[in-house]
Amino acid sequence: MNLVIDRERLLSEIETLASFSDAQPPAVTRIIFTPTDLRARAWLKEHCEGAGLEVRQDAIGNTFARWSGSDAAAPVVGTGSHIDAIPNAGKYDGIVGVLGGLEAIRALRRSGFRPKHSIELLVFTSEEPTRFGIGCLGSRLLSGTLSADAAAKLTDGDGASVEQVRLAAGFTGELAEVKLANGYYKAFLELHIEQGPILEREHVPLGLVTHIAAPATLRVSIEGSGGHAGAVLMPDRSDALCAAAELILSVENAARNSGATDSVATVGTCDVFPGAVNSIPSRVRLSVDIRDTELHRRDAVIEKIEAASRTILEKRGISIRTELLNADPPADCASAIVDALAQSCKKHGMNFLPMVSRAYHDSLFMARIAPMAMLFIPCRNGYSHRPDEFASPGDIARGALVLAETLCRLSV
Ligand code: GLV
Ligand code: MN
Ligand code: MN
């Protein structure tokens, strides 16, 4: 079998997909179910159909593009990732796994290979939490981690619910039917940029993920008392932003002092009301992202943040409400798929490194319903979630080749 990745075509598709964006290049912003996202989805669907794949979309917009195997009843070998992009992102996060997956399937078809198990490209809806507060909406529903009722009620910053938004976007089926049947997958494999510096630093072209770290998200609402910035004297104030400032530093300290460098915590958004220079902030909303490779340590950091918020509210006489939006366990990759990846790397003479994924991925949830693994390629300086995110053409093509080789091994 002669597997050849069409590198130029893959790179040009990555550029085209980046042009579906609500930010000035090189930044990419593509928020789920916006007109831009819907145009990108239509473009991608057309490309999947052009590759001879049969496309179906479920009620939340997860898109499956199938190459039917000779045994139609056999469990599916899946690959894929996401095409949504956080505000001011780059063009590779998620995209490499989707367009690299499509090119891997095209390369297998060109080689004359015929799979026994169907091979499916899966494009997940809303891996990023930007619009509805929690990430991996599509894979949470596919895996039954989130109920249809709970998903339907999630709201965006304008108060629009998932139910309203997905119907308006044309995804009209039943959310309850998104969950996949047990045994649907034989294997699921996601190609992704590392989003960290290790592969580049070690001069190793491929990472075989063995474990995905545990993510959690807290939403914090702080209510103080507003007023005139000149007239209200300092002893009489209940400034919500000053309380938020203390809490933000407690978040940093909780992660820094956990005893392990694997603990990380970030306050990524801070909405201040009313947001006028001469007005004391009366309300602040924060979102806090907390992760660790060890569940007990991640939960200890959350507990420290909650304890700090109790201390701050007592000291300042204001109200602080914390809401745990998600607290997911880590996932282990399936050793049989990691072994298949290692065999593929060896066959093509490529060096690889076993590693942990500190970012979360839809594969975290796919692990609940399928043997799962992930393949990482390097990204420059480890940068991700920023416009200068970059993966080299050689690394992208290598990732797609090893993906194709492994899909072949898994689908015979
Ligand atoms: C995914 O984008 C993550 O935040 O890990
Ligand atoms: Mn991301
Ligand atoms: Mn991603």
Side-chain angles (χ1 to χ4, degrees):
M1 186 179 56
N2 188 23
L3 268 178
V4 182
I5 297 299
D6 186 340
R7 180 200 295 214
E8 293 318 311
R9 177 174 181 172
L10 174 53
L11 295 176
S12 127
E13 286 174 346
I14 291 172
E15 291 305 316
T16 305
L17 193 45
S19 71
F20 297 99
S21 168
D22 289 319
Q24 282 303 317
V28 178
T29 299
R30 199 163 39 244
I31 311 297
I32 199 71
F33 297 147
T34 55
T36 303
D37 175 51
L38 296 178
R39 283 204 310 279
R41 284 164 175 269
W43 174 87
L44 184 57
K45 180 166 180 275
E46 207 177 287
H47 274 60
C48 290
E49 287 167 348
L53 307 180
E54 199 182 308
V55 176
R56 92 174 162 90
Q57 290 173 313
D58 69 17
I60 195 66
N62 292 314
T63 302
F64 300 77
R66 173 182 286 232
W67 178 16
S68 288
S70 59
D71 181 353
V76 166
V77 174
T79 189
S81 195
H82 61 100
I83 64 161
D84 59 326
I86 65 162
N88 203 40
K91 52 176 102 139
Y92 301 94
D93 173 6
I95 310 307
V96 164
V98 171
L99 294 175
L102 177 58
E103 177 54 26
I105 293 174
R106 286 191 300 232
L108 283 166
R109 288 168 74 94
R110 284 194 298 269
S111 75
F113 172 70
R114 289 289 166 261
K116 170 176 171 230
H117 295 258
S118 298
I119 298 181
E120 262 183 10
L121 179 70
L122 173 48
V123 188
F124 296 100
T125 284
S126 198
E127 190 263 359
E128 303 290 6
T130 315
R131 184 155 187 181
F132 293 109
I134 61 168
C136 301
L137 192 52
S139 53
R140 283 178 196 272
L141 282 163
L142 288 170
S143 60
T145 308
L146 181 68
S147 73
D149 278 355
K153 288 187 199 132
L154 292 169
T155 51
D156 67 11
D158 297 325
S161 68
V162 162
E163 188 62 5
Q164 291 166 326
V165 173
R166 63 132 192 151
L167 290 174
F171 300 105
T172 54
E174 292 293 324
L175 280 181
E177 286 169 16
V178 171
K179 185 179 177 328
L180 291 171
N182 287 344
Y184 183 89
Y185 280 112
K186 178 182 180 212
F188 188 84
L189 177 53
E190 180 171 0
L191 169 66
H192 207 282
I193 58 169
E194 182 199 338
Q195 304 184 286
I198 295 169
L199 292 173
E200 184 182 60
R201 198 182 285 159
E202 303 288 326
H203 304 288
V204 177
L206 294 160
L208 309 196
V209 175
T210 53
H211 194 70
I212 304 179
T217 315
L218 274 175
R219 185 185 280 157
V220 183
S221 307
I222 305 174
E223 303 276 346
S225 176
H228 196 286
V232 182
L233 296 178
M234 298 313 281
D236 300 329
R237 294 192 181 202
S238 295
D239 184 323
L241 186 56
C242 291
E246 278 198 53
L247 187 58
I248 291 169
L249 291 178
S250 306
V251 168
E252 186 186 38
N253 285 333
R256 277 190 192 274
N257 300 329
S258 79
T261 50
D262 283 350
S263 308
V264 288
T266 309
V267 178
T269 67
C270 175
D271 298 323
V272 181
F273 183 84
V277 65
N278 55 352
S279 178
I280 300 163
S282 61
R283 191 174 73 217
V284 174
R285 298 236 158 89
L286 305 175
S287 60
V288 190
D289 177 306
I290 310 116
R291 312 187 192 202
D292 208 306
T293 48
E294 292 291 338
L295 192 58
H296 69 91
R297 227 170 25 221
R298 196 273 320 269
D299 289 345
V301 170
I302 295 175
E303 181 41 46
K304 273 195 189 154
I305 295 169
E306 283 174 340
S309 83
R310 289 191 291 274
T311 307
I312 295 165
L313 78 83
E314 275 162 27
K315 188 174 89 183
R316 289 180 168 269
I318 52 166
S319 126
I320 304 183
R321 195 161 52 84
T322 60
E323 188 189 351
L324 191 59
L325 295 185
N326 68 290
D328 303 298
D332 291 326
C333 295
S335 53
I337 311 180
V338 178
D339 288 348
L341 281 165
Q343 292 305 321
S344 303
C345 291
K346 283 179 191 148
K347 177 170 171 190
H348 292 277
M350 294 173 190
N351 199 3
F352 60 87
L353 205 63
M355 61 195 310
V356 169
S357 171
R358 291 168 194 283
Y360 64 71
H361 302 279
D362 289 297
S363 289
L364 182 70
F365 299 98
M366 296 309 277
R368 299 183 181 202
I369 54 163
M372 169 285 295
M374 292 191 73
L375 174 64
F376 277 177
I377 59 169
C379 54
R380 190 168 59 202
N381 299 325
Y383 290 167
S384 184
H385 284 187
R386 43 189 282 179
D388 51 357
E389 179 181 88
F390 177 77
S392 78
D395 285 329
I396 293 170
R398 238 187 309 277
L401 178 63
V402 170
L403 177 62
E405 177 72 39
T406 312
L407 292 174
C408 168
R409 282 170 193 272
L410 296 170
S411 62
V412 286

